[in-house]
Amino acid sequence: MARFRRKLPPLTGLTAFEAAARLSSFTKAASELGVTQAAVSRQIHLIEEGLGFPLFRRLHRRIELTDKGRALSSSTSAAFTLIAETIDDITREETADGLTISASVAFSHFWLLPKIASFSRACPGVALRIVSQDNNAALDSGDVDLAIRYGNGMWPDGRAELLFDDEVFPVCTPDYAEKLGEHPDLAELVRHPLISYDTEDPSWTGWDEWLAAFSMTLPKRISGMRCSFYTEAIYAALNGQGIVLGWRRLVQNLLDQKALVRVTGQSIATRNGYFVVAPPRSARNERVREFVAWLKAEAQGAVS
């Protein structure tokens, strides 16, 4: 260990080098570290003297990493990031047993929150914080421990595990279903108020796509409420405003309670699925592992 430590430049110098390399400026590095530009320059010069080769090219009014400088910059950046994440993890463990979960408003409201009591009973020492937002929370910010996302599973900020896919079909209240009669066809269906919702997600299924799967075209003029969010659309349907597309994993509780019923037998499978996404640092977090295990067990129960 002593032999290994002798190969390392002083930590002060490495800190100055990492900042200067990341910011491409001795002056900006000095400002970030709260020291003078001359101090940063001196620390980096000492490292270069010890190594026997330059890490930067000093150009007119700018600096540029050498090939060896880029190699060292990559290593120091990765090492400092790992140290920062580890300190963050162990500090969290010492100060709180909290776990922050991000999910869409609809998933939180209709799937996660109705089930969360069983996790709290199993792990009573874990304080949960649920962040509901339709834009994906950035996992590399350190503010979120886990995210539940709908998509294709390919996100650069974490490792994704599939929970389940979904299917989509029209639903309404039992009272409204009486207006449709038994076994209404799709031509009859589109003459009723169709509740829709705004979304910027191209993978989210709307009435146009759903009807197109059955060679139907949405009429140019339709009646029905348009909502900002899927949760609002579901509540509009629950209040008898018409027919909405139900995503089975989200509305299953409402179907079980007979608050909503399926309108037709037709349904389409979604192209994507729901995933739990964990950033690399969460692999060391026991609370995260417990929550993921619980989540996968609940998801398996939902599938079966």
Side-chain angles (χ1 to χ4, degrees), residues 170 180-192 210-211 216 243 263-266:
L180 302 172
E182 291 187 13
H183 311 299
D185 59 25
L186 297 185
E188 170 66 17
L189 187 74
V190 297
R191 290 195 284 268
H192 286 265
W210 193 88
L211 289 168
M216 287 282 296
I243 305 166
V263 174
T264 71
Q266 291 102 328

Side-chain angles (χ1 to χ4, degrees), residues 7-9 45-55 68 72:
K7 294 180 179 179
L8 292 177
H45 180 69
L46 290 174
I47 292 179
E48 291 175 325
E49 274 192 338
L51 294 174
F53 49 78
L55 298 172
K68 291 180 178 179
L72 183 59

Side-chain angles (χ1 to χ4, degrees), residues 250-285:
L250 301 184
V251 301
Q252 188 62 55
N253 284 341
L254 297 172
L255 295 173
D256 293 342
Q257 296 163 11
K258 307 299 182 185
L260 294 175
V261 295
R262 290 186 63 158
V263 174
T264 71
Q266 291 102 328
S267 70
I268 66 171
T270 57
R271 297 188 300 274
N272 295 319
Y274 294 94
F275 292 80
V276 56
V277 189
R281 68 178 187 281
S282 292
R284 303 186 297 273
N285 190 318

Side-chain angles (χ1 to χ4, degrees), residues 83-237:
I83 292 169
E85 289 178 350
T86 302
I87 290 174
D88 182 61
D89 284 346
I90 62 178
T91 301
R92 287 189 186 189
E93 289 173 4
E94 290 296 321
T95 58
D97 289 324
L99 195 61
T100 300
I101 312 298
S102 168
S104 71
V105 176
F107 192 91
S108 295
H109 196 94
F110 295 121
W111 196 93
L112 183 59
L113 291 176
K115 301 175 183 294
I116 205 69
S118 69
F119 177 79
S120 297
R121 287 192 297 269
C123 303
V126 180
L128 290 175
R129 176 173 176 254
I130 308 300
V131 179
S132 299
Q133 59 185 64
D134 287 336
N135 294 326
N136 288 339
L139 294 178
D140 51 10
S141 68
D143 297 329
V144 173
D145 298 300
L146 274 178
I148 302 167
R149 295 173 177 170
Y150 176 78
N152 59 13
M154 299 177 65
W155 294 283
D157 57 347
R159 179 176 178 269
E161 293 185 72
L162 179 66
L163 295 175
F164 40 61
D165 53 14
D166 211 341
E167 62 174 320
V168 184
F169 44 78
V171 296
C172 65
T173 62
D175 287 344
Y176 197 92
E178 292 180 3
K179 301 178 183 179
L180 302 172
E182 291 187 13
H183 311 299
D185 59 25
L186 297 185
E188 170 66 17
L189 187 74
V190 297
R191 290 195 284 268
H192 286 265
L194 302 181
I195 303 169
S196 57
Y197 38 88
D198 297 325
T199 179
E200 296 180 358
D201 186 350
S203 64
W204 195 259
T205 302
W207 279 110
D208 280 312
E209 181 183 353
W210 193 88
L211 289 168
F214 303 100
S215 302
M216 287 282 296
T217 301
L218 187 68
K220 292 183 178 180
R221 293 185 177 182
I222 61 170
S223 62
M225 183 179 296
R226 187 168 188 87
C227 303
S228 298
F229 302 101
Y230 184 69
T231 48
E232 295 173 353
I234 292 297
Y235 279 109

